[in-house]
Amino acid sequence: MRLKVKIFIQQILVFLFLLGLLPAHAFVHRHRFVIKEAPYSKLCSSKNILTVNGQFPGPVIYANTGDTLVVNVQNDGTQNITIHWHGVKQPRYPWSDGPEFITQCPIRPGTNFSQRINLSDEEGTLWWHAHSDWSRATVNGALIIRPANKTNYPFPRPTAEIPIILGEWWKSDVQAVVNEFLTSGADANKSDAFLINGQPGDLYPCSTNDTFKLTVEKNKTYLLRIVNAVMNNLMFFSVANHQLTVVGTDGAYVKPFKSNYITISPGETIDVLLEANQNPNHYYMGAKAYNSVVGVDFNNITTTAIVQYRGNYSTSSPPILPDLPNFDDTNASFNFTRSLKSLADKGHPIDVPLNVTTNLLFTFSVNTLPCEDESCSGPNGDRFAASVNNISFVLPRIDILEAYYKNIQGVYRDEFPSFPPLNFNFTGDSLPVELQRPDRRTEVHVLEYGTHVEIVLQGTSLLGGVDHPIHLHGYSFYVVGSGFGNFDKDKDPLNYNLVDPPLQNTIAVVRNGWAAIRFKADNPGVWFMHCHLERHVSWGMEMAFIVKDGKGSEEKLLPPPPDMPQC
Ligand SMILES: *[C@@H]1O[C@H](CO)[C@@H](O)[C@H](O)[C@H]1NC(C)=O
Ligand SMILES: *[C@@H]1O[C@H](CO)[C@@H](O)[C@H](O)[C@H]1NC(C)=O
Ligand SMILES: *[C@@H]1O[C@H](CO)[C@@H](O)[C@H](O)[C@H]1NC(C)=O
Ligand SMILES: *[C@@H]1O[C@H](CO)[C@@H](O)[C@H](O)[C@H]1NC(C)=O
Ligand SMILES: *[C@@H]1O[C@H](CO)[C@@H](O)[C@H](O)[C@H]1NC(C)=O
Ligand SMILES: *[C@@H]1O[C@H](CO)[C@@H](O)[C@H](O)[C@H]1NC(C)=O
Ligand SMILES: *[C@@H]1O[C@H](CO)[C@@H](O)[C@H](O)[C@H]1NC(C)=O
Ligand SMILES: *[C@@H]1O[C@H](CO)[C@@H](O)[C@H](O)[C@H]1NC(C)=O
Ligand SMILES: *[C@@H]1O[C@H](CO)[C@@H](O)[C@H](O)[C@H]1NC(C)=O
Ligand SMILES: *[C@@H]1O[C@H](CO)[C@@H](O)[C@H](O)[C@H]1NC(C)=O
Ligand SMILES: *[C@@H]1O[C@H](CO)[C@@H](O)[C@H](O)[C@H]1NC(C)=O
Ligand SMILES: *[C@@H]1O[C@H](CO)[C@@H](O)[C@H](O)[C@H]1NC(C)=O
Ligand SMILES: [Cu+2]
């Protein structure tokens, strides 16, 4: 009898599905992430690193547009951890977003947390990573979202799809690096290597055997899904003798264009087609840091992997090296970023807010704070800090989402200013030292549901200025404009791209310049916004939005799951 009922219900479901009445994201992918230490050796030395399931980079998660992921994160390590789904909007459900003390308390050692993730319109390459202190250095992996069934890529189907994860490696324990620079007040130690899929490549010592190799066949096309999981640098990437066709960024398609190299900022993803159209041979793909600031110590060695054609050729000479822009080639970096445009075709319409109801201007600065002790190792015996609108963010003890949801007082304040508290020449040459001192607070900015928001992200030249890859959680935004110097509210909007601006979740604000982004505040919750350079985050370059509930029943925050970690 029960079996008959079951079969009957199944038949009804199949019937409804065929009628198109059931949501497409009925498909649920279940994963288990066990956080644990594992020994890894690189650069002629070995150490234990934090991993997911013992893998580095971590497991690749595959899904189709609109699917659901359920990921049980079990912490078998010795430190607190959280996992963030970078670029996933988490509609009405910030509970699974991950940043520690913003939307959840950390998953403590010996406990687990099941994150439920409904994908919505994301399509392309995204990624996941730890969002607690600097654990993301080794706790990260790709999230690949293919077109939903019965739809296709807006380009010919590639022969294969290959995740390319750019990473960064310190010989020391990463936690020791963090503790050291936060204690001394100095800048963080530069890393010892950059990595492609977990390996430094032939230009570094002791890596030859493990270097990542991509075997290709002449005349076939490969989709490289490139993730910048580097901690502290924008990167240039290219493949020797091959042009790349850029087709996507941050889980959205772009108008295809050819380029000899790409620029990719921490947090960003870029999808490129690699046509194996050269003479059968072996070629390096390489990535190196972009660094425009004189006096900042950075790792200047190129990380490499090998593209090897099938066929008969001599491998006695090393592969050909790619021609990458110079380290300080700001035009190469900025021009590439500005070349991204939404695909914006019939199958991939865009929805740029044209009627902005909330205008915000946020400044991003590196700062200094006085030393609590006699002297720190930052500039002039002070310690480094960083801020948004002159507020250096202080992490609360209880996550902001829980405090907001349960109306717990005293955890945060909701007066994050819409405009910088001080007006000065943000990109001036010799700014007075007093401007370097930020306030330290836990402030959020409240947005009404449904407002059409424009934020001008303005870099400042305090302490020289540097690029800031700004990442917003819970949304993708249209990058409608960008430029050098100070944003001009009368002139610059006249040059906005409102036709096919790229849809991104991370935008590199060029050194001593600005970027203007727009989005509709239609996802209620608490959403973090921060620079994706990890040392800037540690110094306080972050803030959070609270987007209030709307009136409709589909416009309200969903309740938390029962296994939400407690503080
Ligand atoms: C989509 O197709 C894949 C492979 O054919 C299949 O495994 C999956 O169940 C399908 N998903 C949905 C939602 O129909
Ligand atoms: C996860 O934690 C819960 C307690 O919150 C426990 O009952 C359960 O057994 C744990 N699951 C696993 C797979 O460890
Ligand atoms: C995911 O979507 C389903 C179907 O719309 C809904 O029932 C469920 O509450 C959603 N879950 C989350 C975590 O958003
Ligand atoms: C940072 O670099 C300094 C100078 O090279 C070195 O003495 C120190 O041990 C390094 N710290 C860590 C944690 O590796
Ligand atoms: C590389 O592999 C070869 C052959 O398997 C082996 O003889 C050699 O010791 C390896 N080198 C390193 C550095 O691991
Ligand atoms: C590759 O394409 C070219 C031009 O279409 C053709 O001449 C050549 O034979 C092809 N090579 C292989 C190995 O398919
Ligand atoms: C890389 O940096 C080192 C110092 O750290 C310097 O000696 C070397 O010339 C630099 N190489 C390049 C190619 O800039
Ligand atoms: C590969 O090329 C070499 C040198 O040109 C030649 O001697 C050899 O016979 C070729 N091998 C095959 C399998 O074609
Ligand atoms: C900037 O990028 C465009 C492609 O969008 C390219 O045509 C142009 O040559 C580039 N300009 C410079 C100065 O690199
Ligand atoms: C723009 O938004 C304002 C405020 O919500 C509204 O009064 C106005 O009608 C809107 N204009 C257009 C053209 O939609
Ligand atoms: C700001 O400073 C820059 C660099 O010195 C200068 O070129 C620019 O004219 C100044 N802008 C204003 C509005 O004073
Ligand atoms: C881990 O998280 C718990 C709960 O929020 C907190 O009380 C504890 O201080 C954290 N431990 C460390 C080492 O940060
Ligand atoms: Cu920054």
Side-chain angles (χ1 to χ4, degrees):
M1 183 61 202
R2 260 162 85 182
L3 188 66
K4 269 189 184 165
V5 171
K6 226 171 156 180
I7 290 171
F8 180 65
I9 290 175
Q10 269 176 7
Q11 281 170 344
I12 290 182
L13 286 179
V14 168
F15 180 67
L16 287 175
F17 183 76
L18 291 176
L19 279 179
L21 292 179
L22 278 188
H25 55 68
F27 199 81
V28 181
H29 308 258
R30 291 180 190 276
H31 297 276
R32 192 165 159 74
F33 275 18
V34 179
I35 310 290
K36 59 177 176 190
E37 294 211 341
Y40 270 76
S41 76
K42 287 185 207 317
L43 311 175
C44 322
S45 65
S46 186
K47 65 168 182 171
N48 274 350
I49 61 170
L50 208 57
T51 68
V52 166
N53 302 347
Q55 292 169 247
F56 175 65
V60 181
I61 304 296
Y62 292 92
N64 292 89
T65 301
D67 285 353
T68 291
L69 308 173
V70 179
V71 184
N72 180 262
V73 183
Q74 165 75 36
N75 188 355
D76 281 355
T78 55
Q79 63 193 66
N80 287 339
I81 196 121
T82 67
I83 300 289
H84 168 54
W85 301 85
H86 185 113
V88 176
K89 298 180 186 73
Q90 312 273 14
R92 304 163 57 202
Y93 203 71
W95 307 106
S96 284
D97 191 43
E100 75 170 338
F101 299 117
I102 305 297
T103 60
Q104 71 167 88
C105 298
I107 306 168
R108 296 192 210 205
T111 68
N112 70 75
F113 174 41
S114 276
Q115 288 176 262
R116 303 187 64 87
I117 298 135
N118 278 359
L119 299 174
S120 54
D121 58 356
E122 304 89 357
E123 188 167 310
T125 307
L126 293 172
W127 60 303
W128 55 267
H129 63 80
H131 215 303
S132 37
D133 48 60
W134 281 34
S135 304
R136 80 169 179 84
T138 57
V139 178
N140 62 57
L143 166 58
I144 292 182
I145 307 170
R146 296 187 170 126
N149 290 357
K150 302 199 194 84
T151 67
N152 269 316
Y153 297 112
F155 43 80
R157 194 179 184 79
T159 299
E161 304 177 16
I162 302 97
I164 300 287
I165 303 190
L166 308 182
E168 195 164 7
W169 185 266
W170 281 260
K171 283 187 191 169
S172 306
D173 179 62
V174 170
Q175 232 49 59
V177 173
V178 178
N179 294 342
E180 184 180 70
F181 85 90
L182 289 182
T183 304
S184 75
D187 202 347
N189 275 12
K190 73 172 178 183
S191 58
D192 297 297
F194 291 112
L195 313 172
I196 294 180
N197 289 347
Q199 296 301 335
D202 298 345
L203 306 187
Y204 288 91
C206 303
S207 187
T208 315
N209 284 4
D210 302 324
T211 294
F212 177 72
K213 294 186 184 67
L214 168 62
T215 303
V216 299
E217 269 180 64
K218 171 97 184 182
N219 290 353
K220 301 249 160 100
T221 299
Y222 299 83
L223 175 58
L224 307 186
R225 297 176 172 278
I226 308 165
V227 175
N228 187 350
V230 162
M231 302 295 274
N232 285 319
N233 284 95
L234 279 76
M235 302 295 286
F236 291 124
F237 171 92
S238 71
V239 180
N241 292 24
H242 291 73
Q243 275 208 318
L244 303 170
T245 305
V246 182
V247 294
T249 186
D250 284 4
Y253 296 114
V254 300
K255 286 203 168 67
F257 67 97
K258 286 194 194 310
S259 183
N260 292 330
Y261 70 94
I262 67 163
T263 312
I264 184 166
S265 70
E268 191 181 9
T269 65
I270 294 190
D271 289 354
V272 302
L273 296 175
L274 172 71
E275 261 181 90
N277 57 8
Q278 295 300 300
N279 290 333
N281 204 334
H282 56 173
Y283 302 86
Y284 277 124
M285 60 171 89
K288 77 178 197 191
Y290 157 62
N291 177 71
S292 59
V293 189
V294 181
V296 167
D297 202 13
F298 68 102
N299 181 325
N300 62 13
I301 305 173
T302 302
T303 173
T304 55
I306 297 169
V307 176
Q308 53 189 14
Y309 280 67
R310 275 193 216 286
N312 187 18
Y313 52 89
S314 162
T315 52
S316 58
S317 53
I320 300 159
L321 272 168
D323 197 12
L324 287 153
N326 289 334
F327 294 109
D328 61 352
D329 193 340
T330 296
N331 282 335
S333 170
F334 187 56
N335 188 43
F336 177 85
T337 301
R338 276 183 64 94
S339 301
L340 299 168
K341 308 233 176 334
S342 276
L343 181 55
D345 68 5
K346 225 167 149 195
H348 307 86
I350 59 166
D351 184 20
V352 189
L354 298 177
N355 186 13
V356 170
T357 54
T358 304
N359 276 288
L360 305 172
L361 175 68
F362 290 1
T363 52
F364 292 82
S365 303
V366 175
N367 304 99
T368 54
L369 281 167
C371 194
E372 313 82 68
D373 309 325
E374 302 254 295
S375 170
C376 292
S377 309
N380 303 318
D382 291 338
R383 55 173 50 257
F384 273 110
S387 64
V388 187
N389 272 354
N390 209 43
I391 298 171
S392 190
F393 190 84
V394 177
L395 275 183
R397 291 161 296 106
I398 305 173
D399 63 287
I400 294 177
L401 178 58
E402 184 179 347
Y404 167 61
Y405 192 74
K406 295 186 181 162
N407 210 357
I408 303 169
Q409 300 299 305
V411 175
Y412 63 88
R413 299 185 2 172
D414 61 5
E415 286 164 16
F416 188 92
S418 301
F419 296 94
L422 290 171
N423 234 318
F424 58 97
N425 184 348
F426 301 125
T427 56
D429 274 339
S430 41
L431 297 173
V433 173
E434 305 88 80
L435 291 174
Q436 280 177 21
R437 302 286 198 215
D439 290 340
R440 297 185 75 242
R441 295 210 296 270
T442 309
E443 289 283 0
V444 306
H445 190 90
V446 178
L447 292 170
E448 294 298 327
Y449 183 91
T451 45
H452 293 191
V453 183
E454 174 175 308
I455 315 177
V456 174
L457 312 166
Q458 173 73 60
T460 80
S461 55
L462 288 169
L463 290 151
V466 62
D467 294 62
H468 300 292
I470 305 302
H471 172 50
L472 175 62
H473 291 222
Y475 292 88
S476 285
F477 47 73
Y478 292 100
V479 183
V480 295
S482 56
F484 290 103
N486 301 333
F487 173 73
D488 182 329
K489 70 175 173 23
D490 299 318
K491 289 199 187 118
D492 287 322
L494 302 176
N495 295 320
Y496 278 176
N497 174 5
L498 301 173
V499 177
D500 58 2
L503 184 62
Q504 298 183 249
N505 61 55
T506 307
I507 178 65
V509 178
V510 68
R511 180 182 182 213
N512 297 337
W514 58 272
I517 64 172
R518 288 187 180 184
F519 61 96
K520 291 179 184 164
D522 56 5
N523 189 14
V526 174
W527 304 111
F528 205 26
M529 188 166 86
H530 61 95
C531 182
H532 223 283
L533 300 183
E534 217 51 42
R535 57 202 219 286
H536 290 185
V537 182
S538 300
W539 291 336
M541 193 177 278
E542 60 250 25
M543 55 82 63
F545 287 103
I546 288 180
V547 178
K548 297 215 293 207
D549 281 353
K551 295 203 175 70
S553 61
E554 301 286 296
E555 299 174 351
K556 294 187 196 313
L557 203 55
L558 294 168
D563 63 341
M564 205 64 213
Q566 299 300 305
C567 281

PDB file of all heavy atoms in Angstrom, residues 206-209, ligand 5:
ATOM      1  N   CYS A 206      63.296  22.391  -6.392  1.00  0.00           N
ATOM      2  CA  CYS A 206      62.686  21.142  -5.890  1.00  0.00           C
ATOM      3  C   CYS A 206      61.265  20.879  -6.350  1.00  0.00           C
ATOM      4  O   CYS A 206      60.495  20.246  -5.642  1.00  0.00           O
ATOM      5  CB  CYS A 206      62.682  21.093  -4.365  1.00  0.00           C
ATOM      6  SG  CYS A 206      64.281  21.267  -3.638  1.00  0.00           S
ATOM      7  N   SER A 207      60.874  21.327  -7.506  1.00  0.00           N
ATOM      8  CA  SER A 207      59.470  21.139  -7.853  1.00  0.00           C
ATOM      9  C   SER A 207      59.247  20.400  -9.159  1.00  0.00           C
ATOM     10  O   SER A 207      58.119  20.084  -9.500  1.00  0.00           O
ATOM     11  CB  SER A 207      58.784  22.500  -7.920  1.00  0.00           C
ATOM     12  OG  SER A 207      57.408  22.323  -8.093  1.00  0.00           O
ATOM     13  N   THR A 208      60.303  20.108  -9.884  1.00  0.00           N
ATOM     14  CA  THR A 208      60.170  19.629 -11.256  1.00  0.00           C
ATOM     15  C   THR A 208      59.172  18.485 -11.425  1.00  0.00           C
ATOM     16  O   THR A 208      58.317  18.528 -12.289  1.00  0.00           O
ATOM     17  CB  THR A 208      61.543  19.175 -11.792  1.00  0.00           C
ATOM     18  OG1 THR A 208      62.474  20.180 -11.421  1.00  0.00           O
ATOM     19  CG2 THR A 208      61.535  19.038 -13.283  1.00  0.00           C
ATOM     20  N   ASN A 209      59.244  17.497 -10.563  1.00  0.00           N
ATOM     21  CA  ASN A 209      58.405  16.319 -10.763  1.00  0.00           C
ATOM     22  C   ASN A 209      56.917  16.579 -10.553  1.00  0.00           C
ATOM     23  O   ASN A 209      56.088  15.904 -11.135  1.00  0.00           O
ATOM     24  CB  ASN A 209      58.834  15.204  -9.805  1.00  0.00           C
ATOM     25  CG  ASN A 209      60.122  14.556 -10.283  1.00  0.00           C
ATOM     26  OD1 ASN A 209      60.704  14.994 -11.270  1.00  0.00           O
ATOM     27  ND2 ASN A 209      60.551  13.531  -9.586  1.00  0.00           N
TER      28      ASN A 209
HETATM   29  C1  LIG B   5      61.864  12.969  -9.821  1.00  0.00           C
HETATM   30  O1  LIG B   5      61.448  11.755 -10.357  1.00  0.00           O
HETATM   31  C2  LIG B   5      62.553  10.886 -10.702  1.00  0.00           C
HETATM   32  C3  LIG B   5      62.030   9.653 -11.413  1.00  0.00           C
HETATM   33  O2  LIG B   5      60.833   9.227 -10.828  1.00  0.00           O
HETATM   34  C4  LIG B   5      63.345  10.551  -9.444  1.00  0.00           C
HETATM   35  O3  LIG B   5      64.447   9.767  -9.785  1.00  0.00           O
HETATM   36  C5  LIG B   5      63.813  11.852  -8.798  1.00  0.00           C
HETATM   37  O4  LIG B   5      64.446  11.573  -7.572  1.00  0.00           O
HETATM   38  C6  LIG B   5      62.662  12.786  -8.541  1.00  0.00           C
HETATM   39  N1  LIG B   5      63.179  14.052  -8.091  1.00  0.00           N
HETATM   40  C7  LIG B   5      62.681  14.675  -7.026  1.00  0.00           C
HETATM   41  C8  LIG B   5      63.301  15.973  -6.677  1.00  0.00           C
HETATM   42  O5  LIG B   5      61.758  14.233  -6.367  1.00  0.00           O
END
